[in-house]
Amino acid sequence: MPTYNVTYTPTTGGSLSATGTGTATTIGLLYTDAHLTEWRNRALNGPYKSAADSFDPLIPGEWDRIVTNKNTFVSNPQADRRQTWIDSESVAYTEHIKMLDAAFYALVKEDTALATVIKDELMWHATRAGEDGVGMQISRTRYLVTDQGNWWQPAWMSRMLMCADFVKDSFSGAERTTFNAWISDWAYAIDYSINVEVGFNFNNRYNRDYTTGLGYKALPGGEGFSSGYAYKDASGALHNQIAAVARYYNNRKAVGVQFFGLAGVFLDDAVLKDRAKLYVEEWVRFSVYPDGSAGEFERNAADRPMRGHTYNAANLEAATWIAEALRLDGDPGLYNYSTTEGIWGTECTTEPAKTIKLTVDTYLDIN
């Protein structure tokens, strides 16, 4: 498997790059054996073990927090069991955070007994039968409207997936087969749902065809622009009127793509991997402007000037997590992806091609 180094240099504007060198062995979705060695050392010696032991005294003691959450989970491992996946978004938003910390603890401390407890909770959910209100399983063609609170379901599933990645050695072969099938059904349901919505504009997108089967918002003379702009500069001039198409690539869909993209790597599913790459490529193409601002910046407002910046962080997280998981899996394609194409102002004319790096740099410059 090819390995790569990713470097980030925190200068003004920043730098994000991937190169084809390195020797670290990938052992998890988002970590290598070198990461695990470092985590185990930090759990003993810091930094980030206890409050104020790092370069910044404002950074809390992350390992102490993880241990506290692990202890809370151990005291009642069944506390967050869900009887049905149809639930309020506020519940899905908070469930199994402590189990995720416990799973990380089990990985770092090689606590096989704790890993088994976590695996058993994962399997309880994976084997809950039924759909539409009874159990945890779901149809691959179930449409989950992202604007009805459903974006927190894949957020919850991402936590379950990462828990499994941390304790994967505790699964038997039969358990892993069952768990994988559960993850796969959810991943395809989320991909199906996002394709329904983005397909309103590009209904042949699975073939990367953006010239036929266009919805009216993507057609010349169609809906075109919303009333919002990406930002106002120091002179008061407005920049980049946000296109209706750009708004489709929002934080809610990014949460779903992040899940099924990571699931694709976890399952080694070529279709899910490609669908995740497709969405990230489309986001850069149709929702990122030549200066690196994005469609989510429309959410900025006079009373909350950084709201769009905050919402776009979900897009950046999804794009970079997927890019990194794929890189560790041997495919640095998203880091290398660039395009000058777009629609309704996202296309480049004389500007350099757009990349994930450009969006990260712009985010850091604004922050």
Side-chain angles (χ1 to χ4, degrees):
M1 177 183 296
T3 56
Y4 300 84
N5 286 332
V6 169
T7 58
Y8 173 67
T9 305
T11 60
T12 301
S15 177
L16 185 68
S17 62
T19 59
T21 60
T23 58
T25 301
T26 300
I27 55 177
L29 275 175
L30 292 167
Y31 64 93
T32 67
D33 55 354
H35 292 125
L36 185 54
T37 297
E38 182 177 11
W39 294 338
R40 286 174 174 161
N41 180 65
R42 286 184 176 186
L44 291 174
N45 304 310
Y48 311 107
K49 180 177 184 293
S50 302
D53 73 353
S54 65
F55 65 90
D56 187 338
L58 297 179
I59 293 177
E62 281 300 283
W63 183 251
D64 288 349
R65 179 192 61 78
I66 288 167
V67 172
T68 298
N69 279 351
K70 181 269 296 184
N71 291 337
T72 301
F73 169 78
V74 169
S75 69
N76 185 5
Q78 301 177 8
D80 285 346
R81 280 188 174 181
R82 300 184 70 181
Q83 299 299 323
T84 171
W85 63 262
I86 297 178
D87 215 330
S88 69
E89 63 179 82
S90 60
V91 175
Y93 178 63
T94 59
E95 281 175 329
H96 292 105
I97 291 175
K98 293 180 175 62
M99 186 169 77
L100 180 58
D101 282 339
F104 183 74
Y105 178 97
L107 172 71
V108 172
K109 289 297 187 180
E110 300 179 275
D111 189 331
T112 57
L114 176 57
T116 298
V117 173
I118 293 161
K119 179 265 297 180
D120 288 344
E121 286 304 299
L122 294 171
M123 289 303 299
W124 184 90
H125 289 85
T127 56
R128 288 279 294 169
E131 207 257 36
D132 285 353
V134 184
M136 295 290 109
Q137 296 177 7
I138 192 168
S139 164
R140 290 184 169 215
T141 55
R142 167 78 185 201
Y143 177 33
L144 301 169
V145 184
T146 57
D147 285 334
Q148 293 181 1
N150 285 310
W151 63 89
W152 287 122
Q153 306 301 338
W156 170 67
M157 288 298 295
S158 289
R159 285 193 289 276
M160 304 297 271
L161 178 63
M162 293 307 299
C163 283
D165 188 51
F166 290 150
V167 302
K168 54 183 172 287
D169 290 342
S170 64
F171 286 81
S172 69
E175 287 172 330
R176 182 63 186 267
T177 297
T178 299
F179 184 81
N180 283 3
W182 181 57
I183 291 291
S184 181
D185 285 347
W186 267 95
Y188 274 95
I190 300 302
D191 170 57
Y192 173 84
S193 301
I194 289 174
N195 185 60
V196 167
E197 297 179 359
V198 179
F200 294 152
N201 300 316
F202 309 108
N203 63 32
N204 200 22
R205 58 186 291 271
Y206 278 164
N207 294 316
R208 289 176 169 78
D209 174 4
Y210 304 106
T211 60
T212 64
L214 303 183
Y216 77 98
K217 294 181 181 179
L219 287 169
E223 181 177 320
F225 297 100
S226 71
S227 60
Y229 288 80
Y231 62 94
K232 180 188 294 185
D233 65 24
S235 69
L238 294 170
H239 291 262
N240 299 334
Q241 188 174 8
I242 302 299
V245 169
R247 297 173 62 196
Y248 275 75
Y249 299 91
N250 54 36
N251 68 310
R252 299 180 297 281
K253 292 185 183 68
V255 170
V257 176
Q258 180 172 315
F259 163 63
F260 75 70
L262 294 180
V265 177
F266 184 81
L267 300 169
D268 194 23
D269 185 316
V271 173
L272 290 173
K273 292 178 192 177
D274 187 64
R275 299 274 172 82
K277 289 179 68 174
L278 169 67
Y279 182 93
V280 175
E281 290 169 3
E282 288 179 346
W283 170 64
V284 174
R285 183 171 180 173
F286 299 120
S287 195
V288 173
Y289 290 82
D291 61 4
S293 59
E296 281 288 61
F297 285 3
E298 185 197 35
R299 297 171 180 266
N300 293 327
D303 59 331
R304 295 177 67 183
M306 294 297 288
R307 180 170 55 188
H309 185 252
T310 301
Y311 276 45
N312 196 49
N315 288 324
L316 288 173
E317 179 181 308
T320 53
W321 278 36
I322 293 167
E324 180 66 356
L326 289 170
R327 180 191 71 85
L328 291 173
D329 194 49
D331 177 7
L334 279 180
Y335 280 125
N336 298 328
Y337 175 76
S338 65
T339 184
T340 58
E341 297 180 340
I343 190 173
W344 299 112
T346 62
E347 67 275 13
C348 300
T349 52
T350 61
E351 302 89 353
K354 299 175 293 180
T355 62
I356 292 178
K357 176 184 181 299
L358 174 67
T359 68
V360 172
D361 290 349
T362 300
Y363 180 88
L364 294 172
D365 284 342
I366 294 174
N367 191 20

